[in-house]
Amino acid sequence: MTEKFIKNEQLNFIKKQIAFIKDSTKKNIPQNVLASVIELANAKILEHFPNVSLEQQEMLNLSNLKTDKEYEQYIQHLSGYLLPFPTITEQQLKKMFPKHKKLKLPDLSTIDHSQLTYLSWNDLRSNKKFIVYELEGEMVGIECEFAPTSKKNLCSFCNSFGEVAYFSTVTKAKKSNNPDYYKAIGNLICADSCECNKKITNVDYLASFLEDSLGK
């Protein structure tokens, strides 16, 4: 049996490709065109898994799937190979944010780690959002100012349209000729981080944002 090798955002990407195939099927396009759509979906999926074995490549292959039930079984099978979000304790979280002596923490026992790309929670008392992510093998965390908005927009993390909130953080960037210099980064992201984790298909922007915020 192959080891777990699929990340949450990778499974989300696969689901997105399946949705596109299903949509193409409903349009009754010619079989040769549909075959090209499926072939392209397979190629895109493999681009997200550059180091998989031949066994894993075969497992990811969509070519032989025809019915909704088969696609559903395919996703259920792949879900068994999900890499869970790294286990983290309340003490580790407190250590990440030492300035907050009364840090409000999420209930870690209720979180499904298999459906997380990043961990996030809000502290409405202080209008803060906290984000924790495994960056280059290290668990890192940042805090942001958090402000709900009344309009829907694109989320910077998952690139989906929906209810968003504005948040900003001050980076650790410094200038030797100006010790008082600071740089703030602002973004619109999903107001509901659980929904964002269900939709995110690429972590490039998330990782880049955290690197900039942490001055890496």
Side-chain angles (χ1 to χ4, degrees):
M1 182 177 176
T2 189
E3 61 185 9
K4 293 184 178 183
F5 68 102
I6 303 173
K7 296 180 179 179
N8 176 64
E9 65 273 12
Q10 291 173 319
L11 186 62
N12 289 343
F13 182 81
I14 292 171
K15 290 176 180 178
K16 192 172 182 178
Q17 295 306 305
I18 289 174
F20 185 70
I21 292 171
K22 286 182 176 181
D23 185 60
S24 299
T25 303
K26 290 176 183 177
K27 293 177 180 177
N28 294 317
I29 60 177
Q31 283 301 308
N32 63 322
V33 177
L34 180 60
S36 296
V37 169
I38 295 172
E39 184 179 351
L40 181 59
N42 276 326
K44 287 181 177 180
I45 289 169
L46 287 181
E47 284 178 4
H48 277 61
F49 295 87
N51 301 311
V52 291
S53 66
L54 290 175
E55 180 186 358
Q56 290 165 341
Q57 284 185 34
E58 184 60 33
M59 190 184 301
L60 294 169
N61 191 353
L62 293 166
S63 301
N64 297 321
L65 306 179
K66 305 295 182 185
T67 66
D68 286 353
K69 184 177 180 180
E70 287 175 338
Y71 282 118
E72 185 179 327
Q73 290 172 339
Y74 167 86
I75 290 298
Q76 287 179 347
H77 181 65
L78 291 187
S79 296
Y81 295 90
L82 272 172
L83 289 163
F85 188 80
T87 301
I88 193 164
T89 65
E90 290 187 356
Q91 285 303 116
Q92 287 174 303
L93 290 177
K94 289 177 180 178
K95 192 174 180 180
M96 285 184 187
F97 306 102
K99 294 180 181 178
H100 296 271
K101 302 304 180 184
K102 295 183 179 180
L103 179 65
K104 180 186 177 183
L105 295 172
D107 185 352
L108 297 175
S109 65
T110 64
I111 295 173
D112 184 354
H113 283 59
S114 67
Q115 295 184 358
L116 279 187
T117 290
Y118 68 94
L119 173 65
S120 180
W121 70 98
N122 302 334
D123 185 347
L124 299 179
R125 295 171 302 177
S126 59
N127 291 323
K128 295 281 189 180
K129 174 180 276 290
F130 298 89
I131 297 174
V132 175
Y133 177 69
E134 186 178 27
L135 185 63
E136 298 178 356
E138 177 188 2
M139 295 298 289
V140 297
I142 61 168
E143 64 177 87
C144 315
E145 297 290 336
F146 178 75
T149 66
S150 57
K151 296 181 180 180
K152 291 185 177 182
N153 212 317
L154 281 178
C155 169
S156 297
F157 290 172
C158 71
N159 205 33
S160 297
F161 190 79
E163 300 288 342
V164 295
Y166 179 79
F167 79 108
S168 62
T169 185
V170 175
T171 75
K172 294 184 178 180
K174 298 293 182 183
K175 285 189 176 180
S176 57
N177 61 347
N178 184 0
D180 296 325
Y181 169 86
Y182 73 91
K183 177 183 175 184
I185 305 176
N187 284 274
L188 291 171
I189 66 168
C190 289
D192 186 339
S193 296
C194 291
E195 287 301 310
C196 190
N197 272 287
K198 292 177 183 177
K199 298 174 183 175
I200 188 169
T201 59
N202 188 300
V203 296
D204 288 349
Y205 183 81
L206 172 61
S208 175
F209 169 74
L210 286 165
E211 287 172 353
D212 287 347
S213 300
L214 296 167
K216 288 185 175 290

